[in-house]
Every structure is written in structure tokens, then in C-alpha cells.
Amino acid sequence: MKVSALRLLLLLNSLDSASARVSVTVSPERSQFFKYERFSVSCEDEEKEQVTGWKVMKRMMDGEVHPCPSCSISAAFPFTDSGEYWCQSGQGATSNSVNISVTAGLVILDSPVHPVIEGDNVTLSCRHKSILTPTEVLNTEFFKDGRLIGRSSTGNMTIYRVSKSDEGFYKCKVNGPNNESEESWLTVRAAPPTGQDPQANLFFPVVRHLVVGCPYLLSTILLGLIGRDRIRALHAEKRRQKSDDVIMEMAQYRVGHPV
Ligand SMILES: *[C@@H]1O[C@H](CO)[C@@H](O)[C@H](O)[C@H]1NC(C)=O
């Protein structure tokens, strides 16, 4: 009984960790890096905690897939560190993925790594390697799918209330030749039906924890009850023995000292 309860617990626990949503995260949160820059990729659960049992995988530009153990890159190189990164569990489950570009050029586009929600404002930043302070004026052009969509003198451009039609490849360009960033894909995700968002976000974790937690609780109570019954039986046994002893003593007393 105890063994099967334990097995049930282990099974439920593994179900719980498998259904927890794991996502790949990049730090700093960007999809473009200059050559020699430092960045790291890790696997996190919904509570933003690092997860164990998942490893970071990367698909390099040539299509080769390699694990990226303790994926912390201290000096990025365009050929070896550009590519698609994701997390993979021992059982083969995979997380979302992110595409990272490492450039030997002078300009990068800082755009959201993760999908943005319809209706959000999204700011794109164009960064030049030799311009250190953000206050320096940078005449920048922004492109979507190769088409010029805006100019800025601050290096930033905000797209207000993004919609599905804003999805695409973005890049930026500063004055001068060869001062163009690589392209990054922006994903726009449909907004959840209004009013249901908080519940929807709460609902699934709660249900998951209930589904997993109820049998856990039940088996804990069951184990407790079994334990308590054992202890009770033991006490009853002791009491019975004690009263037997008393009877025996009384009997002995009677035998030794006849009235
Ligand atoms: C990353 O790039 C690959 C190849 O261009 C593409 O198939 C994939 O959808 C991209 N992934 C994301 C998350 O943008």
C-alpha cells in the first residue's frame, strides 16, 4: 500500500513538472548582439525560476544542432553564436525558441525577443557600436520587410497599438554606408478576450495544481490515516497487554495471599 502510494506521488510529480510551461530566456533580453558581447540563454518556468532537467539547445546557421551547456557566452561570434535557441527536456519536450543574431557590423536593432501582444506599444531601438550615450543624436531609418517605415533622430521608434499586420522582419540603418543592422522577426500574438485575461492566466495553473494536488493531498491523508490506525492498534494492543498484566498480577496476588 505504502509503495503504490509513493509511486503515485512520483508519477503525479513528474506530470506536474512536465506540464509546467518552460520558456527560453535571453539575458540581456535582445535578439541582436555585437561581436564580442556577452549574453546568456537559460530555461525558466512560469515563476521565472531556473528549471532543472532541461537543457539549452542551439541550431547554428549551418543547420547543425548542439547542446549549449550552461549557455553563457562571454564573447559572442557571428558564425558560432548566431542561430535558434530553445530548451529541451530529457523526455524530448521542447520550449519556445528565439533567434539570435551576432553581427560583426556596427549597428544592431534592439527589438522584443518574445512575442508582443496585440494592442501593446513596441519600441525599437537602433544602437551604434561607437555611440555610447543614448543622448547622442542618431539619425536612424527603420525598415519593415525591406520597406522604409520611419525616421528618427533619437535612435528609437515606437509602434503604437501593434496589430497582427505589424508582424515581420525589422531592421534599422544609421547615416553612412554599411551601417545597417541585421533583420529580426517580430511576432504579434492575439490579445486574449478582454476581461478574461486575469482569470485565464490564473485558471490553468490553479486547475493544474488542483488536479495534481488533490490526489497528493488524498494520498497524504490516506497515509496519515493508515499510520494513525497503526498507532491506535498498537496502543490498543498495549492497553490490552497492560490489563492482562493487571489481571495476572491480581490473580497472582490472590494466589499468593489467599483471602
Ligand atoms: C528562427 O529562424 C528560423 C529560420 O529563419 C525560422 O524558421 C524560425 O521560425 C525562427 N524562429 C523564431 C522564433 O522566430
Side-chain angles (χ1 to χ4, degrees):
M1 174 64 208
K2 249 186 191 163
V3 172
S4 58
L6 191 69
R7 209 172 281 159
L8 184 73
L9 285 187
L10 288 177
L11 176 76
L12 289 168
N13 194 44
S14 69
L15 276 180
D16 193 28
S17 53
S19 59
R21 217 171 291 143
V22 169
S23 52
V24 65
T25 57
V26 187
S27 172
E29 217 172 305
R30 271 194 262 143
S31 50
Q32 295 191 9
F33 294 93
F34 293 116
K35 189 179 174 181
Y36 304 130
E37 256 197 304
R38 174 192 293 272
F39 72 89
S40 62
V41 183
S42 56
C43 304
E44 286 180 357
D45 63 14
E46 288 149 315
E47 279 89 38
K48 304 270 170 227
E49 307 261 359
Q50 300 255 328
V51 291
T52 53
W54 289 66
K55 59 184 174 198
V56 178
M57 303 293 292
K58 78 169 163 188
R59 180 178 291 111
M60 306 207 308
M61 308 276 272
D62 58 7
E64 273 193 54
V65 173
H66 294 285
C68 186
S70 62
C71 202
S72 179
I73 290 139
S74 53
F77 280 89
F79 189 73
T80 51
D81 299 315
S82 294
E84 193 172 6
Y85 290 73
W86 69 95
C87 295
Q88 196 162 307
S89 76
Q91 285 81 34
T94 55
S95 72
N96 61 324
S97 67
V98 289
N99 281 327
I100 291 175
S101 307
V102 179
T103 179
L106 295 174
V107 177
I108 58 169
L109 176 72
D110 184 352
S111 62
V113 185
H114 297 294
V116 294
I117 307 297
E118 243 178 356
D120 282 357
N121 298 337
V122 173
T123 298
L124 307 174
S125 295
C126 202
R127 299 193 187 191
H128 193 283
K129 202 170 188 174
S130 63
I131 293 175
L132 300 173
T133 59
T135 50
E136 280 184 70
V137 172
L138 194 64
N139 285 312
T140 319
E141 291 176 333
F142 289 90
F143 297 82
K144 175 178 181 273
D145 300 321
R147 270 188 316 111
L148 180 69
I149 52 160
R151 289 194 170 86
S152 158
S153 58
T154 59
N156 298 328
M157 191 185 87
T158 301
I159 307 169
Y160 295 95
R161 300 184 53 78
V162 289
S163 65
K164 204 73 186 159
S165 65
D166 291 313
E167 257 189 5
F169 281 108
Y170 286 83
K171 70 176 178 186
C172 66
K173 206 174 189 176
V174 296
N175 301 339
N178 294 326
N179 285 352
E180 194 172 305
S181 77
E182 309 236 337
E183 285 188 316
S184 279
W185 179 262
L186 179 77
T187 304
V188 180
R189 193 154 286 167
T194 44
Q196 279 185 8
D197 187 21
Q199 281 105 321
N201 279 345
L202 261 175
F203 185 68
F204 291 105
V206 165
V207 165
R208 177 162 60 81
H209 281 106
L210 276 181
V211 164
V212 173
C214 269
Y216 186 94
L217 198 69
L218 278 179
S219 46
T220 306
I221 291 169
L222 211 63
L223 282 177
L225 284 178
I226 292 167
R228 208 185 56 178
D229 281 353
R230 285 249 171 93
I231 289 167
R232 246 194 217 154
L234 227 92
H235 279 314
E237 179 76 6
K238 265 193 193 145
R239 260 203 305 275
R240 203 168 49 81
Q241 270 178 5
K242 234 180 230 165
S243 59
D244 280 358
D245 287 351
V246 170
I247 290 167
M248 264 168 64
E249 265 168 33
M250 279 167 68
Q252 271 169 3
Y253 185 81
R254 284 213 193 102
V255 170
H257 308 268
V259 200

